[in-house]
mmCIF file of all heavy atoms in Angstrom:
data_model
loop_
_atom_site.group_PDB
_atom_site.id
_atom_site.type_symbol
_atom_site.label_atom_id
_atom_site.label_comp_id
_atom_site.label_asym_id
_atom_site.label_seq_id
_atom_site.Cartn_x
_atom_site.Cartn_y
_atom_site.Cartn_z
ATOM 1 N N MET A 1 -90.609 -127.737 -118.480
ATOM 2 C CA MET A 1 -91.884 -127.460 -117.808
ATOM 3 C C MET A 1 -91.677 -126.736 -116.478
ATOM 4 O O MET A 1 -92.539 -125.966 -116.045
ATOM 5 C CB MET A 1 -92.641 -128.772 -117.572
ATOM 6 C CG MET A 1 -93.115 -129.463 -118.831
ATOM 7 S SD MET A 1 -94.101 -130.946 -118.461
ATOM 8 C CE MET A 1 -92.853 -132.001 -117.709
ATOM 9 N N GLN A 2 -90.560 -126.963 -115.826
ATOM 10 C CA GLN A 2 -90.347 -126.420 -114.489
ATOM 11 C C GLN A 2 -89.344 -125.274 -114.445
ATOM 12 O O GLN A 2 -89.021 -124.780 -113.361
ATOM 13 C CB GLN A 2 -89.917 -127.550 -113.542
ATOM 14 C CG GLN A 2 -91.011 -128.592 -113.366
ATOM 15 C CD GLN A 2 -90.660 -129.639 -112.335
ATOM 16 O OE1 GLN A 2 -89.632 -129.576 -111.657
ATOM 17 N NE2 GLN A 2 -91.522 -130.634 -112.185
ATOM 18 N N THR A 3 -88.843 -124.873 -115.600
ATOM 19 C CA THR A 3 -88.015 -123.663 -115.658
ATOM 20 C C THR A 3 -88.463 -122.827 -116.848
ATOM 21 O O THR A 3 -89.058 -123.345 -117.801
ATOM 22 C CB THR A 3 -86.504 -123.977 -115.794
ATOM 23 O OG1 THR A 3 -86.223 -124.433 -117.130
ATOM 24 C CG2 THR A 3 -86.059 -125.007 -114.782
ATOM 25 N N ALA A 4 -88.174 -121.541 -116.789
ATOM 26 C CA ALA A 4 -88.488 -120.641 -117.903
ATOM 27 C C ALA A 4 -87.422 -119.567 -117.976
ATOM 28 O O ALA A 4 -86.934 -119.087 -116.950
ATOM 29 C CB ALA A 4 -89.867 -120.000 -117.711
ATOM 30 N N ARG A 5 -87.052 -119.219 -119.187
ATOM 31 C CA ARG A 5 -86.121 -118.099 -119.400
ATOM 32 C C ARG A 5 -86.687 -117.223 -120.504
ATOM 33 O O ARG A 5 -87.175 -117.703 -121.528
ATOM 34 C CB ARG A 5 -84.715 -118.606 -119.749
ATOM 35 C CG ARG A 5 -84.639 -119.466 -121.004
ATOM 36 C CD ARG A 5 -83.200 -119.878 -121.283
ATOM 37 N NE ARG A 5 -83.097 -120.630 -122.529
ATOM 38 C CZ ARG A 5 -82.115 -120.480 -123.405
ATOM 39 N NH1 ARG A 5 -81.151 -119.593 -123.188
ATOM 40 N NH2 ARG A 5 -82.073 -121.199 -124.516
ATOM 41 N N LYS A 6 -86.640 -115.924 -120.254
ATOM 42 C CA LYS A 6 -87.226 -114.978 -121.190
ATOM 43 C C LYS A 6 -86.333 -113.750 -121.302
ATOM 44 O O LYS A 6 -85.499 -113.484 -120.423
ATOM 45 C CB LYS A 6 -88.630 -114.558 -120.729
ATOM 46 C CG LYS A 6 -89.606 -115.718 -120.516
ATOM 47 C CD LYS A 6 -90.955 -115.223 -120.017
ATOM 48 C CE LYS A 6 -91.899 -116.373 -119.697
ATOM 49 N NZ LYS A 6 -93.216 -115.882 -119.220
ATOM 50 N N GLN A 7 -86.554 -112.996 -122.364
ATOM 51 C CA GLN A 7 -85.784 -111.764 -122.598
ATOM 52 C C GLN A 7 -86.761 -110.689 -123.062
ATOM 53 O O GLN A 7 -87.585 -110.927 -123.951
ATOM 54 C CB GLN A 7 -84.732 -112.024 -123.675
ATOM 55 C CG GLN A 7 -83.798 -110.859 -123.954
ATOM 56 C CD GLN A 7 -82.904 -111.169 -125.150
ATOM 57 O OE1 GLN A 7 -83.248 -110.869 -126.296
ATOM 58 N NE2 GLN A 7 -81.750 -111.784 -124.885
ATOM 59 N N TYR A 8 -86.672 -109.499 -122.441
ATOM 60 C CA TYR A 8 -87.626 -108.462 -122.844
ATOM 61 C C TYR A 8 -87.261 -107.889 -124.215
ATOM 62 O O TYR A 8 -86.093 -107.817 -124.603
ATOM 63 C CB TYR A 8 -87.779 -107.375 -121.789
ATOM 64 C CG TYR A 8 -86.583 -106.502 -121.483
ATOM 65 C CD1 TYR A 8 -86.148 -105.508 -122.368
ATOM 66 C CD2 TYR A 8 -85.910 -106.627 -120.266
ATOM 67 C CE1 TYR A 8 -85.079 -104.680 -122.062
ATOM 68 C CE2 TYR A 8 -84.838 -105.812 -119.948
ATOM 69 C CZ TYR A 8 -84.422 -104.842 -120.843
ATOM 70 O OH TYR A 8 -83.365 -104.031 -120.540
ATOM 71 N N ILE A 9 -88.291 -107.535 -124.943
ATOM 72 C CA ILE A 9 -88.111 -106.984 -126.290
ATOM 73 C C ILE A 9 -87.410 -105.633 -126.188
ATOM 74 O O ILE A 9 -87.824 -104.748 -125.436
ATOM 75 C CB ILE A 9 -89.469 -106.854 -127.001
ATOM 76 C CG1 ILE A 9 -90.091 -108.244 -127.179
ATOM 77 C CG2 ILE A 9 -89.320 -106.158 -128.351
ATOM 78 C CD1 ILE A 9 -91.531 -108.226 -127.660
ATOM 79 N N GLY A 10 -86.352 -105.472 -126.933
ATOM 80 C CA GLY A 10 -85.537 -104.257 -126.880
ATOM 81 C C GLY A 10 -84.216 -104.462 -126.181
ATOM 82 O O GLY A 10 -83.301 -103.634 -126.298
ATOM 83 N N TYR A 11 -84.096 -105.575 -125.455
ATOM 84 C CA TYR A 11 -82.841 -105.846 -124.722
ATOM 85 C C TYR A 11 -81.655 -105.947 -125.680
ATOM 86 O O TYR A 11 -80.574 -105.393 -125.409
ATOM 87 C CB TYR A 11 -82.976 -107.132 -123.914
ATOM 88 C CG TYR A 11 -81.680 -107.586 -123.275
ATOM 89 C CD1 TYR A 11 -81.250 -107.041 -122.063
ATOM 90 C CD2 TYR A 11 -80.872 -108.547 -123.889
ATOM 91 C CE1 TYR A 11 -80.054 -107.437 -121.486
ATOM 92 C CE2 TYR A 11 -79.676 -108.947 -123.310
ATOM 93 C CZ TYR A 11 -79.269 -108.396 -122.115
ATOM 94 O OH TYR A 11 -78.068 -108.784 -121.549
ATOM 95 N N ARG A 12 -81.841 -106.634 -126.802
ATOM 96 C CA ARG A 12 -80.722 -106.829 -127.736
ATOM 97 C C ARG A 12 -80.216 -105.518 -128.305
ATOM 98 O O ARG A 12 -79.018 -105.361 -128.566
ATOM 99 C CB ARG A 12 -81.145 -107.802 -128.844
ATOM 100 C CG ARG A 12 -81.367 -109.218 -128.333
ATOM 101 C CD ARG A 12 -81.795 -110.180 -129.422
ATOM 102 N NE ARG A 12 -81.902 -111.532 -128.882
ATOM 103 C CZ ARG A 12 -82.249 -112.595 -129.590
ATOM 104 N NH1 ARG A 12 -82.549 -112.460 -130.890
ATOM 105 N NH2 ARG A 12 -82.317 -113.790 -129.021
ATOM 106 N N ASP A 13 -81.112 -104.554 -128.487
ATOM 107 C CA ASP A 13 -80.681 -103.227 -128.935
ATOM 108 C C ASP A 13 -79.880 -102.540 -127.823
ATOM 109 O O ASP A 13 -78.867 -101.874 -128.098
ATOM 110 C CB ASP A 13 -81.885 -102.370 -129.312
ATOM 111 C CG ASP A 13 -82.614 -102.899 -130.542
ATOM 112 O OD1 ASP A 13 -81.959 -103.513 -131.402
ATOM 113 O OD2 ASP A 13 -83.850 -102.709 -130.619
ATOM 114 N N GLU A 14 -80.323 -102.689 -126.596
ATOM 115 C CA GLU A 14 -79.651 -102.032 -125.471
ATOM 116 C C GLU A 14 -78.233 -102.553 -125.268
ATOM 117 O O GLU A 14 -77.344 -101.803 -124.853
ATOM 118 C CB GLU A 14 -80.469 -102.221 -124.191
ATOM 119 C CG GLU A 14 -81.803 -101.502 -124.208
ATOM 120 C CD GLU A 14 -82.630 -101.788 -122.956
ATOM 121 O OE1 GLU A 14 -82.049 -102.152 -121.930
ATOM 122 O OE2 GLU A 14 -83.870 -101.652 -123.020
ATOM 123 N N VAL A 15 -78.011 -103.845 -125.526
ATOM 124 C CA VAL A 15 -76.671 -104.420 -125.326
ATOM 125 C C VAL A 15 -75.895 -104.511 -126.635
ATOM 126 O O VAL A 15 -74.764 -105.000 -126.666
ATOM 127 C CB VAL A 15 -76.753 -105.812 -124.672
ATOM 128 C CG1 VAL A 15 -77.427 -105.719 -123.316
ATOM 129 C CG2 VAL A 15 -77.479 -106.819 -125.564
ATOM 130 N N ASP A 16 -76.523 -104.023 -127.729
ATOM 131 C CA ASP A 16 -75.885 -104.025 -129.053
ATOM 132 C C ASP A 16 -75.435 -105.417 -129.455
ATOM 133 O O ASP A 16 -74.303 -105.636 -129.895
ATOM 134 C CB ASP A 16 -74.697 -103.049 -129.064
ATOM 135 C CG ASP A 16 -74.214 -102.755 -130.492
ATOM 136 O OD1 ASP A 16 -75.030 -102.895 -131.419
ATOM 137 O OD2 ASP A 16 -73.033 -102.406 -130.661
ATOM 138 N N ASN A 17 -76.326 -106.376 -129.278
ATOM 139 C CA ASN A 17 -76.033 -107.760 -129.637
ATOM 140 C C ASN A 17 -77.331 -108.438 -130.066
ATOM 141 O O ASN A 17 -78.117 -108.881 -129.239
ATOM 142 C CB ASN A 17 -75.410 -108.513 -128.457
ATOM 143 C CG ASN A 17 -75.105 -109.969 -128.795
ATOM 144 O OD1 ASN A 17 -75.229 -110.390 -129.952
ATOM 145 N ND2 ASN A 17 -74.713 -110.730 -127.794
ATOM 146 N N GLN A 18 -77.555 -108.497 -131.374
ATOM 147 C CA GLN A 18 -78.800 -109.041 -131.895
ATOM 148 C C GLN A 18 -78.892 -110.560 -131.771
ATOM 149 O O GLN A 18 -79.940 -111.144 -132.035
ATOM 150 C CB GLN A 18 -78.975 -108.634 -133.364
ATOM 151 C CG GLN A 18 -79.117 -107.136 -133.571
ATOM 152 C CD GLN A 18 -80.272 -106.549 -132.759
ATOM 153 O OE1 GLN A 18 -81.384 -107.079 -132.785
ATOM 154 N NE2 GLN A 18 -80.016 -105.463 -132.042
ATOM 155 N N GLU A 19 -77.799 -111.189 -131.375
ATOM 156 C CA GLU A 19 -77.791 -112.645 -131.174
ATOM 157 C C GLU A 19 -77.846 -113.026 -129.694
ATOM 158 O O GLU A 19 -77.747 -114.207 -129.352
ATOM 159 C CB GLU A 19 -76.532 -113.253 -131.806
ATOM 160 C CG GLU A 19 -76.345 -112.939 -133.278
ATOM 161 C CD GLU A 19 -77.484 -113.472 -134.122
ATOM 162 O OE1 GLU A 19 -77.949 -114.597 -133.842
ATOM 163 O OE2 GLU A 19 -77.913 -112.768 -135.061
ATOM 164 N N SER A 20 -78.004 -112.047 -128.826
ATOM 165 C CA SER A 20 -77.931 -112.319 -127.386
ATOM 166 C C SER A 20 -78.968 -113.342 -126.945
ATOM 167 O O SER A 20 -80.140 -113.261 -127.308
ATOM 168 C CB SER A 20 -78.142 -111.030 -126.589
ATOM 169 O OG SER A 20 -78.207 -111.324 -125.195
ATOM 170 N N MET A 21 -78.511 -114.304 -126.147
ATOM 171 C CA MET A 21 -79.396 -115.310 -125.554
ATOM 172 C C MET A 21 -79.477 -115.127 -124.039
ATOM 173 O O MET A 21 -79.907 -116.029 -123.320
ATOM 174 C CB MET A 21 -78.894 -116.709 -125.888
ATOM 175 C CG MET A 21 -78.912 -117.041 -127.368
ATOM 176 S SD MET A 21 -80.607 -117.052 -128.051
ATOM 177 C CE MET A 21 -81.215 -118.579 -127.337
ATOM 178 N N THR A 22 -79.079 -113.974 -123.555
ATOM 179 C CA THR A 22 -79.099 -113.700 -122.118
ATOM 180 C C THR A 22 -80.526 -113.461 -121.639
ATOM 181 O O THR A 22 -81.256 -112.657 -122.222
ATOM 182 C CB THR A 22 -78.235 -112.467 -121.792
ATOM 183 O OG1 THR A 22 -76.904 -112.718 -122.214
ATOM 184 C CG2 THR A 22 -78.251 -112.163 -120.309
ATOM 185 N N GLU A 23 -80.898 -114.145 -120.578
ATOM 186 C CA GLU A 23 -82.253 -113.992 -120.044
ATOM 187 C C GLU A 23 -82.350 -112.790 -119.120
ATOM 188 O O GLU A 23 -81.424 -112.515 -118.349
ATOM 189 C CB GLU A 23 -82.691 -115.265 -119.300
ATOM 190 C CG GLU A 23 -82.147 -115.445 -117.898
ATOM 191 C CD GLU A 23 -80.700 -115.887 -117.821
ATOM 192 O OE1 GLU A 23 -80.123 -116.187 -118.884
ATOM 193 O OE2 GLU A 23 -80.135 -115.940 -116.704
ATOM 194 N N THR A 24 -83.468 -112.062 -119.227
ATOM 195 C CA THR A 24 -83.758 -110.978 -118.278
ATOM 196 C C THR A 24 -84.878 -111.394 -117.324
ATOM 197 O O THR A 24 -85.227 -110.648 -116.419
ATOM 198 C CB THR A 24 -84.170 -109.697 -119.030
ATOM 199 O OG1 THR A 24 -85.322 -109.966 -119.840
ATOM 200 C CG2 THR A 24 -83.028 -109.215 -119.913
ATOM 201 N N PHE A 25 -85.437 -112.566 -117.553
ATOM 202 C CA PHE A 25 -86.448 -113.171 -116.680
ATOM 203 C C PHE A 25 -86.058 -114.627 -116.494
ATOM 204 O O PHE A 25 -85.705 -115.318 -117.457
ATOM 205 C CB PHE A 25 -87.836 -113.078 -117.309
ATOM 206 C CG PHE A 25 -88.925 -113.799 -116.547
ATOM 207 C CD1 PHE A 25 -89.729 -113.110 -115.651
ATOM 208 C CD2 PHE A 25 -89.143 -115.164 -116.721
ATOM 209 C CE1 PHE A 25 -90.744 -113.765 -114.951
ATOM 210 C CE2 PHE A 25 -90.142 -115.824 -116.031
ATOM 211 C CZ PHE A 25 -90.945 -115.126 -115.136
ATOM 212 N N ALA A 26 -86.093 -115.082 -115.254
ATOM 213 C CA ALA A 26 -85.734 -116.477 -114.976
ATOM 214 C C ALA A 26 -86.677 -117.030 -113.924
ATOM 215 O O ALA A 26 -87.044 -116.339 -112.967
ATOM 216 C CB ALA A 26 -84.292 -116.576 -114.482
ATOM 217 N N GLN A 27 -87.062 -118.273 -114.132
ATOM 218 C CA GLN A 27 -87.953 -118.931 -113.171
ATOM 219 C C GLN A 27 -87.595 -120.417 -113.100
ATOM 220 O O GLN A 27 -87.289 -121.035 -114.119
ATOM 221 C CB GLN A 27 -89.404 -118.763 -113.590
ATOM 222 C CG GLN A 27 -90.429 -119.249 -112.581
ATOM 223 C CD GLN A 27 -91.845 -118.902 -113.041
ATOM 224 O OE1 GLN A 27 -92.436 -119.616 -113.854
ATOM 225 N NE2 GLN A 27 -92.374 -117.791 -112.532
ATOM 226 N N ALA A 28 -87.610 -120.957 -111.905
ATOM 227 C CA ALA A 28 -87.321 -122.384 -111.731
ATOM 228 C C ALA A 28 -88.063 -122.896 -110.509
ATOM 229 O O ALA A 28 -88.227 -122.172 -109.518
ATOM 230 C CB ALA A 28 -85.821 -122.621 -111.584
ATOM 231 N N THR A 29 -88.508 -124.129 -110.585
ATOM 232 C CA THR A 29 -89.197 -124.769 -109.472
ATOM 233 C C THR A 29 -88.342 -125.916 -108.944
ATOM 234 O O THR A 29 -87.934 -126.800 -109.712
ATOM 235 C CB THR A 29 -90.572 -125.301 -109.900
ATOM 236 O OG1 THR A 29 -91.376 -124.202 -110.350
ATOM 237 C CG2 THR A 29 -91.274 -125.980 -108.729
ATOM 238 N N PHE A 30 -88.065 -125.873 -107.651
ATOM 239 C CA PHE A 30 -87.210 -126.864 -107.004
ATOM 240 C C PHE A 30 -88.023 -127.658 -105.982
ATOM 241 O O PHE A 30 -89.115 -127.254 -105.577
ATOM 242 C CB PHE A 30 -86.032 -126.184 -106.297
ATOM 243 C CG PHE A 30 -85.180 -125.343 -107.210
ATOM 244 C CD1 PHE A 30 -85.371 -123.981 -107.318
ATOM 245 C CD2 PHE A 30 -84.175 -125.926 -107.968
ATOM 246 C CE1 PHE A 30 -84.592 -123.202 -108.153
ATOM 247 C CE2 PHE A 30 -83.384 -125.162 -108.810
ATOM 248 C CZ PHE A 30 -83.596 -123.800 -108.910
ATOM 249 N N THR A 31 -87.451 -128.756 -105.549
ATOM 250 C CA THR A 31 -88.001 -129.503 -104.426
ATOM 251 C C THR A 31 -86.902 -129.726 -103.402
ATOM 252 O O THR A 31 -85.711 -129.565 -103.703
ATOM 253 C CB THR A 31 -88.560 -130.869 -104.878
ATOM 254 O OG1 THR A 31 -87.537 -131.584 -105.576
ATOM 255 C CG2 THR A 31 -89.768 -130.694 -105.769
ATOM 256 N N ILE A 32 -87.311 -130.091 -102.190
ATOM 257 C CA ILE A 32 -86.358 -130.354 -101.112
ATOM 258 C C ILE A 32 -86.463 -131.823 -100.742
ATOM 259 O O ILE A 32 -87.553 -132.324 -100.427
ATOM 260 C CB ILE A 32 -86.639 -129.456 -99.892
ATOM 261 C CG1 ILE A 32 -86.497 -127.977 -100.288
ATOM 262 C CG2 ILE A 32 -85.689 -129.799 -98.744
ATOM 263 C CD1 ILE A 32 -86.875 -127.011 -99.192
ATOM 264 N N ASP A 33 -85.341 -132.502 -100.803
ATOM 265 C CA ASP A 33 -85.302 -133.939 -100.562
ATOM 266 C C ASP A 33 -85.237 -134.234 -99.066
ATOM 267 O O ASP A 33 -84.206 -134.651 -98.531
ATOM 268 C CB ASP A 33 -84.098 -134.554 -101.282
ATOM 269 C CG ASP A 33 -84.118 -136.075 -101.260
ATOM 270 O OD1 ASP A 33 -85.163 -136.645 -100.884
ATOM 271 O OD2 ASP A 33 -83.082 -136.676 -101.602
ATOM 272 N N SER A 34 -86.349 -133.988 -98.396
ATOM 273 C CA SER A 34 -86.438 -134.278 -96.964
ATOM 274 C C SER A 34 -87.883 -134.626 -96.639
ATOM 275 O O SER A 34 -88.810 -134.218 -97.363
ATOM 276 C CB SER A 34 -85.991 -133.081 -96.124
ATOM 277 O OG SER A 34 -86.950 -132.041 -96.171
ATOM 278 N N GLN A 35 -88.073 -135.350 -95.564
ATOM 279 C CA GLN A 35 -89.429 -135.713 -95.171
ATOM 280 C C GLN A 35 -90.228 -134.480 -94.799
ATOM 281 O O GLN A 35 -91.433 -134.399 -95.073
ATOM 282 C CB GLN A 35 -89.390 -136.695 -93.987
ATOM 283 C CG GLN A 35 -90.720 -137.357 -93.677
ATOM 284 C CD GLN A 35 -91.255 -138.160 -94.857
ATOM 285 O OE1 GLN A 35 -90.498 -138.816 -95.564
ATOM 286 N NE2 GLN A 35 -92.583 -138.092 -95.074
ATOM 287 N N ARG A 36 -89.559 -133.504 -94.201
ATOM 288 C CA ARG A 36 -90.255 -132.295 -93.758
ATOM 289 C C ARG A 36 -90.878 -131.534 -94.923
ATOM 290 O O ARG A 36 -91.953 -130.940 -94.783
ATOM 291 C CB ARG A 36 -89.282 -131.388 -93.003
ATOM 292 C CG ARG A 36 -89.925 -130.104 -92.535
ATOM 293 C CD ARG A 36 -88.974 -129.280 -91.703
ATOM 294 N NE ARG A 36 -89.660 -128.184 -91.067
ATOM 295 C CZ ARG A 36 -89.152 -127.429 -90.108
ATOM 296 N NH1 ARG A 36 -87.937 -127.670 -89.657
ATOM 297 N NH2 ARG A 36 -89.858 -126.442 -89.583
ATOM 298 N N TRP A 37 -90.198 -131.531 -96.083
ATOM 299 C CA TRP A 37 -90.665 -130.737 -97.211
ATOM 300 C C TRP A 37 -91.023 -131.606 -98.418
ATOM 301 O O TRP A 37 -91.028 -131.124 -99.544
ATOM 302 C CB TRP A 37 -89.597 -129.713 -97.603
ATOM 303 C CG TRP A 37 -89.356 -128.714 -96.520
ATOM 304 C CD1 TRP A 37 -88.260 -128.614 -95.723
ATOM 305 C CD2 TRP A 37 -90.252 -127.681 -96.093
ATOM 306 N NE1 TRP A 37 -88.401 -127.587 -94.823
ATOM 307 C CE2 TRP A 37 -89.616 -126.994 -95.030
ATOM 308 C CE3 TRP A 37 -91.525 -127.268 -96.509
ATOM 309 C CZ2 TRP A 37 -90.218 -125.921 -94.374
ATOM 310 C CZ3 TRP A 37 -92.123 -126.194 -95.858
ATOM 311 C CH2 TRP A 37 -91.476 -125.534 -94.804
ATOM 312 N N LYS A 38 -91.365 -132.834 -98.183
ATOM 313 C CA LYS A 38 -91.666 -133.777 -99.255
ATOM 314 C C LYS A 38 -92.800 -133.255 -100.142
ATOM 315 O O LYS A 38 -93.877 -132.923 -99.651
ATOM 316 C CB LYS A 38 -92.048 -135.135 -98.656
ATOM 317 C CG LYS A 38 -92.327 -136.226 -99.691
ATOM 318 C CD LYS A 38 -92.625 -137.547 -99.005
ATOM 319 C CE LYS A 38 -93.038 -138.611 -99.993
ATOM 320 N NZ LYS A 38 -92.023 -138.854 -101.027
ATOM 321 N N ASP A 39 -92.513 -133.164 -101.440
ATOM 322 C CA ASP A 39 -93.490 -132.790 -102.478
ATOM 323 C C ASP A 39 -93.980 -131.347 -102.379
ATOM 324 O O ASP A 39 -95.011 -131.000 -102.974
ATOM 325 C CB ASP A 39 -94.697 -133.730 -102.451
ATOM 326 C CG ASP A 39 -94.318 -135.170 -102.771
ATOM 327 O OD1 ASP A 39 -93.360 -135.365 -103.540
ATOM 328 O OD2 ASP A 39 -94.961 -136.084 -102.221
ATOM 329 N N VAL A 40 -93.272 -130.487 -101.629
ATOM 330 C CA VAL A 40 -93.624 -129.061 -101.591
ATOM 331 C C VAL A 40 -92.790 -128.333 -102.648
ATOM 332 O O VAL A 40 -91.575 -128.243 -102.524
ATOM 333 C CB VAL A 40 -93.353 -128.447 -100.206
ATOM 334 C CG1 VAL A 40 -93.642 -126.943 -100.226
ATOM 335 C CG2 VAL A 40 -94.197 -129.128 -99.146
ATOM 336 N N PRO A 41 -93.398 -127.824 -103.723
ATOM 337 C CA PRO A 41 -92.624 -127.119 -104.753
ATOM 338 C C PRO A 41 -92.197 -125.730 -104.273
ATOM 339 O O PRO A 41 -92.969 -125.018 -103.624
ATOM 340 C CB PRO A 41 -93.600 -127.015 -105.925
ATOM 341 C CG PRO A 41 -94.955 -127.075 -105.299
ATOM 342 C CD PRO A 41 -94.835 -127.930 -104.067
ATOM 343 N N ILE A 42 -90.968 -125.381 -104.592
ATOM 344 C CA ILE A 42 -90.423 -124.057 -104.278
ATOM 345 C C ILE A 42 -90.200 -123.346 -105.611
ATOM 346 O O ILE A 42 -89.267 -123.676 -106.355
ATOM 347 C CB ILE A 42 -89.082 -124.147 -103.514
ATOM 348 C CG1 ILE A 42 -89.144 -125.192 -102.389
ATOM 349 C CG2 ILE A 42 -88.674 -122.778 -103.003
ATOM 350 C CD1 ILE A 42 -90.017 -124.833 -101.237
ATOM 351 N N LYS A 43 -91.042 -122.395 -105.937
ATOM 352 C CA LYS A 43 -90.912 -121.667 -107.213
ATOM 353 C C LYS A 43 -90.184 -120.354 -106.985
ATOM 354 O O LYS A 43 -90.575 -119.547 -106.140
ATOM 355 C CB LYS A 43 -92.285 -121.405 -107.833
ATOM 356 C CG LYS A 43 -92.194 -120.768 -109.222
ATOM 357 C CD LYS A 43 -93.539 -120.712 -109.920
ATOM 358 C CE LYS A 43 -94.466 -119.677 -109.317
ATOM 359 N NZ LYS A 43 -95.710 -119.509 -110.088
ATOM 360 N N ILE A 44 -89.118 -120.138 -107.752
ATOM 361 C CA ILE A 44 -88.292 -118.934 -107.614
ATOM 362 C C ILE A 44 -88.361 -118.148 -108.918
ATOM 363 O O ILE A 44 -88.158 -118.708 -110.003
ATOM 364 C CB ILE A 44 -86.832 -119.290 -107.292
ATOM 365 C CG1 ILE A 44 -86.756 -120.212 -106.069
ATOM 366 C CG2 ILE A 44 -86.014 -118.036 -107.059
ATOM 367 C CD1 ILE A 44 -85.344 -120.610 -105.691
ATOM 368 N N THR A 45 -88.635 -116.843 -108.810
ATOM 369 C CA THR A 45 -88.836 -116.002 -109.991
ATOM 370 C C THR A 45 -88.068 -114.704 -109.852
ATOM 371 O O THR A 45 -88.049 -114.093 -108.772
ATOM 372 C CB THR A 45 -90.330 -115.665 -110.169
ATOM 373 O OG1 THR A 45 -91.088 -116.879 -110.216
ATOM 374 C CG2 THR A 45 -90.566 -114.863 -111.438
ATOM 375 N N THR A 46 -87.425 -114.279 -110.933
ATOM 376 C CA THR A 46 -86.810 -112.956 -110.965
ATOM 377 C C THR A 46 -86.916 -112.402 -112.376
ATOM 378 O O THR A 46 -87.042 -113.163 -113.345
ATOM 379 C CB THR A 46 -85.338 -112.997 -110.523
ATOM 380 O OG1 THR A 46 -84.850 -111.655 -110.383
ATOM 381 C CG2 THR A 46 -84.464 -113.726 -111.540
#
């Protein structure tokens, strides 16, 4: 629920590997274990 990995259509042709599981999109949501940032989600996307 808090991470996602995706691959764009056509990537496997570009790398000549039809079994590739390499992600070209990545997303994850982290938290910081401190009182200052308690319950503030940090979502990172690329």
Side-chain angles (χ1 to χ4, degrees):
M1 293 184 294
Q2 296 186 5
T3 74
R5 59 178 184 140
K6 304 178 184 180
Q7 184 187 90
Y8 65 74
I9 297 170
Y11 172 83
R12 292 180 176 180
D13 293 330
E14 293 176 23
V15 300
D16 194 25
N17 179 7
Q18 296 304 311
E19 304 299 320
S20 174
M21 296 296 287
T22 301
E23 79 284 353
T24 58
F25 174 96
Q27 187 174 82
T29 299
F30 302 96
T31 55
I32 299 175
D33 189 12
S34 72
Q35 192 60 39
R36 179 176 190 168
W37 296 109
K38 183 177 174 58
D39 297 329
V40 176
I42 315 291
K43 185 171 72 173
I44 307 180
T45 305
T46 188

